[in-house]
Amino acid sequence: MTYINNKAVKKNTFDVIVIGSGISGGWAAKEFCDHGLKTLVLERGKDVKHVVDYPTAMMEPWEFEHLGQVPKKLKDESPIASKTYIYKEDSKHFIVKDKEHPYIQEKPFDWIRGYQVGGKSLLWARGTQRWSKYDFDGPARDGFDVHWPIGYEDLAPWYSHVEIFAGISGNKDGLETLPDGEFLKPHEQTCVEKHFSQKMKEHYHGKRPVIIGRCAHLTDPQPIHYEQGRGQCQHRNLCQRGCPYGGYFSSNASTLPWAQRTGNMTMRPNSVVHSIIYDEKTGKASGVNVVDAITKKERKFYAKVIFLNASTINTNLILLNSKSSRFPNGIGNDNEQMGKYIHFHSFITGMSAEYDGMLDSKNEGTRPNGSYIPRFRNVKEQETDFLRGYAAGFSATRSPVTNSEGLGMELKNNLNKTEYGNWHVGSHFMGETVPKETNYVKLDDKQIDAWGVPLLRVNVELDDNDRKMAKDYEEQMTEMLTVAGFKNIKANRKTTWNPGLDIHEMGGVVMGNDPKTSLLNKWNQLHHCKNVFVTDGACMTSNSTQNPSLTYMALTARAANYAVEELKKGNL
């Protein structure tokens, strides 16, 4: 059988194969299809079409059998998945069940997955902060781990590219540490959040700004969003069900239907990618081996370019499992660094407090967003006994207090009263973990899953640097909350929190200039197999303190457009 003449091969040959349909895979599909390239998107999970496959989107609370709660039996069957805040009766069908997709924990790691078309873009928290030059310079500044091969200026135009299409709300704050973007109108801070912001401005002279968060919600839809079939965010705060209005950005509502309309995309759900096929003669990848998730039948698909967007851990798995005579340890893994330097965001602590001022005011309705405190530690120079820094969320709300005392008419009257207590203040910590060789994933030598793919062994943990950072956050936030006049200030350390529960795992196939210490070049190509690109979280050299999805999207759009130009030149 030859590559050129076999009809079956031709039928299964595309210009580009994109592995994964989540937030970065959707962007790869959109960019290639916009350029007229026939693109196959392989998704290991079920199909989920926008609107029609959101079964709980319009359900009322009383229509749920368990009033929104998940029965203990189901929680016991998925002890890892049930730990995440989005595992609820209205959304658990979008989260992988533990027993169906096992992995091996050498150390506790809560791997939260969404196997369906659109992946976790249906479930993300939608925070979309740009990185600054200080974030890209971080590893070079403190001299710890691989240096980024690109800087903020390389990515800035691609941030704009994806922000305009996705729709990002935010305020132009003019911060050096958090560059402004192409924003729709911002959400409004509550009066107590504004009070906190003003007190921080006065006390720290602008060095600890508190701003409204930037997020992927359509607060003021533009023609490009209506063209996608999306409408204004309704502030329902039911995003985890899938939004029938397209009010927040997801692959299902935005990039995938856009790519589909070009006529250039073939979507193939239920396709578990086993490995990448490497052609020893051409020195390039020629396609992928796929196992049908339902029938278990094996198939091969071919393309000139392959994009890995399977999500961080699965991208590592596929590459490590892509073995050949040339690459016995996984495609592109000459330096044997693949799977190492896994990093993540630490959410191991938070703060709470009360405020007894402004009791003549209260917040009305709901808001799918909160305030945000950009990183202020170790930004320009090393100033603490720990490396890197942290950002923080912040919110202040005032909710009715329910009085359930009494019996009969007294109880009824008490329940009908609407009374408000003090303002409640909350903050969550998001710390940058430093990539380490000892945090890794690798293939098990013997055990395989239901599709014949080796099980993954995960060895990832927090270290003293992370604990010192969390302690500093608690101390600094206590000081800041005290300055603002808040009371009953408490640090809430999460003793059962494990890495992975952040759902921000990154690394393992990192970018860098030196093939001895990195796997990808500045265009996200494998150093040793140029037609394989990695643009999901696996490519991240470090993680800084911003929610990562916006950066994945920008990196993907940049790399895809580079690949298009290289294809035109005949270089791929």
Side-chain angles (χ1 to χ4, degrees), residues 179-445:
D180 292 332
E182 312 294 337
F183 296 146
L184 305 175
K185 69 178 182 182
H187 291 106
E188 186 177 5
Q189 292 179 306
T190 65
C191 60
V192 173
E193 291 169 6
K194 291 177 181 176
H195 160 77
F196 184 57
S197 178
Q198 183 60 33
K199 288 293 183 184
M200 295 305 99
K201 184 178 181 180
E202 293 169 2
H203 189 82
Y204 296 103
H205 308 291
K207 294 181 179 179
R208 297 188 183 187
V210 182
I211 64 173
I212 186 65
R214 298 159 181 183
C215 66
H217 283 260
L218 297 183
T219 53
D220 182 21
Q222 300 298 301
I224 186 63
H225 307 123
Y226 291 127
E227 193 176 348
Q228 296 169 39
R230 301 169 58 200
Q232 184 157 342
C233 171
Q234 304 295 303
H235 288 201
R236 302 192 320 151
N237 282 12
L238 301 174
C239 309
Q240 72 278 359
R241 300 181 184 183
C243 181
Y245 306 97
Y248 72 86
F249 174 83
S250 70
S251 299
N252 309 67
S254 180
T255 47
L256 292 177
W258 182 278
Q260 192 76 60
R261 284 196 289 272
T262 66
N264 294 320
M265 184 180 81
T266 299
M267 172 63 71
R268 197 174 192 282
N270 299 308
S271 299
V272 178
V273 174
H274 176 278
S275 54
I276 294 171
I277 304 166
Y278 180 72
D279 188 327
E280 305 274 353
K281 294 180 180 177
T282 63
K284 299 178 183 177
S286 59
V288 298
N289 295 308
V290 170
V291 181
D292 189 289
I294 298 172
T295 66
K296 309 289 176 64
K297 290 183 178 178
E298 299 179 11
R299 296 188 65 174
K300 297 181 188 296
F301 294 93
Y302 304 92
K304 296 177 181 176
V305 171
I306 298 171
F307 261 56
L308 270 293
N309 302 96
S311 80
T312 296
I313 303 297
N314 275 322
T315 286
N316 275 272
L317 186 157
I318 292 169
L319 292 171
L320 287 167
N321 199 39
S322 302
K323 298 178 180 179
S324 61
S325 298
R326 168 66 182 85
F327 296 114
N329 298 313
I331 189 166
N333 190 19
D334 285 7
N335 60 16
E336 300 187 10
Q337 296 298 300
M338 188 175 286
K340 300 176 181 177
Y341 298 97
I342 298 294
H343 48 99
F344 53 94
H345 284 141
S346 167
F347 282 75
I348 59 173
T349 189
M351 301 291 296
S352 62
E354 292 185 32
Y355 185 52
D356 58 8
M358 297 186 172
L359 296 182
D360 57 344
S361 301
K362 57 182 175 61
N363 56 300
E364 294 279 359
T366 56
R367 181 190 61 184
N369 193 8
S371 289
Y372 183 80
I373 306 172
R375 172 182 171 182
F376 55 83
R377 287 301 223 189
N378 302 328
V379 174
K380 298 181 180 180
E381 59 184 6
Q382 186 63 37
E383 56 191 16
T384 68
D385 64 346
F386 58 86
L387 294 170
R388 312 293 166 84
Y390 51 81
F394 179 80
S395 63
T397 58
R398 191 167 179 233
S399 303
V401 177
T402 301
N403 182 355
S404 57
E405 294 182 352
L407 292 171
M409 186 55 69
E410 182 184 6
L411 173 61
K412 187 175 181 180
N413 290 335
N414 285 339
L415 291 174
N416 282 332
K417 290 179 182 176
T418 302
E419 296 179 347
Y420 288 82
N422 290 337
W423 286 85
H424 289 273
V425 171
S427 172
H428 68 265
F429 164 80
M430 191 160 79
E432 177 178 2
T433 64
V434 177
K436 300 188 296 289
E437 188 171 9
T438 51
N439 279 349
Y440 63 83
V441 296
K442 66 179 183 180
L443 304 182
D444 189 77
D445 294 335

